[in-house]
């Protein structure tokens, strides 16, 4: 496959960097970080360690929520002049609970090309190793710290049928687990992925109560991502008894035995065979009395 020469002039590269293990920096990400005109990062001291480890001398400058107003026009100006800029965050994919979204939106709006160099992300890494359903899921990131907005968000999450991904700082983990237990019940499936890709990586579960039990005994430290199982489907609503009896009678009138009629109705209505059979039995007794 013929590949485009990278970095191309005037392009903003959104580069995924390791969430722990430095070996997870892809060769393509490394090459971009070596060759771009400049790199925008959250914290220059933090990111200079990564750049040093790969021998990159590309100039670094900070881009975070406190200097967006002053930095944005300057970055757009660099792109306009044909410079290539890489955007990285402290770890993982910029834009996922990290600054970057605004720069990407502004670059697109100004007509500049934005290319993502995919890389590690704590959310998807925790999800796929949790053993919980991951074909559909929702990402909540950090929940509101307190007040009604937090309560509402947790109530909403407790009813969500899809697997939910939540980020949390270690010193707030037990409080979050307690709030989730109250809203979702102690037995709701949950995995806490701790220190992913690092030497002390571990998964703690399989339920909210077992995670609480674990972290009450062992103080949470390091980085944690929670994977919460979806809310179980509501039990099938019971159609009125008379309606079920009527359907059973109709089936029996077509020539089915009582046992075949209950089996057929159980399959079509989701009701248990035993319950339908006892309905029939009770009806017979009522008639006899
Ligand atoms: N942009 C990052 C990403 O793509 O994953 C997420 C940045 S967010 C500011 C930081 C949060 O991500 C942490 O508080 C933690 O919840 C989660 N996280 C980051 N690294 C992790 C790791 N190695 N193991 C578990 N969770 C991690």
């Amino acid at each position: 496959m013929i590949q485009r020469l990278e970095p191309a002039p005037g392009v903003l590269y959104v580069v995924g960097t390791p969430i722990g293990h430095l070996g997870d920096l892809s060769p393509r990400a490394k090459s971009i970080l070596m060759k771009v005109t400049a790199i925008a990062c959250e914290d220059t001291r933090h990111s200079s360690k990564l750049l040093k480890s790969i021998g990159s001398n590309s100039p670094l400058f900070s881009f975070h929520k406190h200097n967006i107003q002053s930095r944005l026009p300057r970055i757009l100006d660099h792109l306009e002049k044909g410079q290539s800029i890489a955007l990285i965050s402290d770890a993982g994919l910029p834009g996922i609970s990290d600054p970057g979204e605004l720069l990407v939106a502004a670059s697109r709006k100004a007509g500049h090309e934005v290319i993502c160099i995919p890389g590690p992300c704590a959310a998807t890494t925790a999800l796929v190793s949790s053993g919980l359903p991951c074909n559909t899921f929702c990402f909540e990131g950090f929940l509101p710290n307190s007040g009604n907005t937090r309560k509402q968000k947790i109530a909403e999450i407790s009813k969500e049928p899809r697997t939910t991904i939540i980020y949390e700082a270690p010193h707030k983990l037990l409080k979050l687990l307690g709030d989730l237990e109250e809203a979702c019940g102690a037995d709701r499936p949950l995995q806490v992925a701790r220190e992913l890709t690092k030497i002390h990586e571990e998964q703690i579960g399989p339920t909210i109560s077992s995670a609480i039990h674990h972290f009450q005994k062992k103080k949470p430290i390091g980085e944690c991502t929670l994977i919460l199982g979806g809310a179980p489907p509501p039990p099938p609503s019971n159609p009125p008894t008379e309606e079920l009896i009527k359907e059973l009678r109709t089936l029996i009138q077509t020539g089915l035995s009582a046992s075949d009629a209950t089996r057929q109705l159980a399959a079509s209505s989701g009701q248990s065979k035993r319950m339908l059979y006892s309905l029939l039995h009770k009806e017979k007794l009522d008639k006899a009395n």
Side-chain angles (χ1 to χ4, degrees):
M1 190 169 85
I2 300 173
Q3 280 164 353
R4 187 176 163 182
L5 274 183
E6 288 179 330
V11 173
L12 173 72
Y13 290 92
V14 180
V15 182
T17 60
I19 55 170
H21 197 304
L22 286 182
D24 292 336
L25 186 75
S26 75
R28 186 174 169 216
K30 183 175 169 185
S31 159
I32 291 284
L33 295 179
M34 303 282 283
K35 295 183 194 157
V36 279
T37 318
I39 301 170
C41 65
E42 278 182 85
D43 176 348
T44 51
R45 270 186 308 179
H46 179 94
S47 291
S48 62
K49 290 183 201 145
L50 174 73
L51 293 193
K52 201 169 162 209
S53 78
I54 59 168
S56 164
N57 293 317
S58 309
L60 265 180
F61 63 92
S62 67
F63 177 76
H64 46 67
K65 59 180 175 200
H66 303 297
N67 68 6
I68 287 179
Q69 294 308 327
S70 59
R71 285 287 150 91
L72 243 176
R74 277 164 64 185
I75 299 174
L76 295 182
D77 191 47
H78 290 316
L79 292 169
E80 191 61 46
K81 287 184 176 138
Q83 300 186 352
S84 53
I85 306 286
L87 169 68
I88 60 175
S89 59
D90 282 351
L93 271 183
I96 305 297
S97 297
D98 269 339
E101 195 182 316
L102 284 174
L103 175 57
V104 171
S107 304
R108 285 210 172 278
K109 198 168 170 207
H112 302 299
E113 195 174 353
V114 179
I115 293 178
C116 176
I117 311 295
C121 174
T124 46
T125 307
L127 175 69
V128 298
S129 47
S130 68
L132 290 162
C134 42
N135 55 349
T136 65
F137 60 87
C138 16
F139 174 71
E140 288 291 350
F142 293 99
L143 303 189
N145 268 329
S146 56
N148 260 348
T149 44
R150 178 179 173 91
K151 265 195 193 144
Q152 273 166 15
K153 177 54 79 182
I154 289 181
E156 209 177 277
I157 289 173
S158 73
K159 294 187 201 104
E160 171 58 58
R162 293 168 293 178
T163 304
T164 297
I165 307 172
I166 305 170
Y167 284 161
E168 189 52 292
H171 64 285
K172 298 188 201 153
L173 182 67
L174 267 170
K175 161 94 176 89
L176 175 59
L177 289 173
D179 290 349
L180 289 174
E181 183 181 42
E182 202 181 307
C184 310
D187 295 334
R188 178 74 74 86
L190 173 108
Q191 285 293 138
V192 179
R194 200 181 77 79
E195 295 285 83
L196 287 163
T197 78
K198 302 182 195 176
I199 199 161
H200 296 298
E201 168 164 358
E202 61 179 345
Q203 295 271 343
I204 294 112
T207 60
I208 297 180
S209 63
S210 55
I212 291 178
H213 188 68
H214 174 94
F215 288 113
Q216 276 169 344
K217 287 201 292 186
K218 202 170 169 196
K219 188 176 172 207
I221 46 170
E223 307 211 69
C224 296
T225 297
L226 284 76
I227 307 294
L228 177 71
S237 58
N238 280 348
T241 308
E242 311 85 71
E243 214 171 277
L244 292 171
I245 292 178
K246 207 168 131 196
E247 283 190 52
L248 283 170
R249 266 204 237 111
T250 313
L251 288 171
I252 290 168
Q253 274 162 13
T254 64
L256 289 183
S257 66
S259 131
D260 285 344
T262 47
R263 188 174 311 124
Q264 192 165 318
L265 187 57
S268 63
S269 67
Q271 304 297 324
S272 85
K273 255 189 320 188
R274 184 199 290 239
M275 188 276 277
L276 294 173
Y277 208 80
S278 70
L279 274 185
L280 259 188
H281 188 64
K282 184 170 175 299
E283 206 223 357
K284 262 192 216 152
L285 286 179
D286 287 350
K287 271 193 178 162
N289 289 331

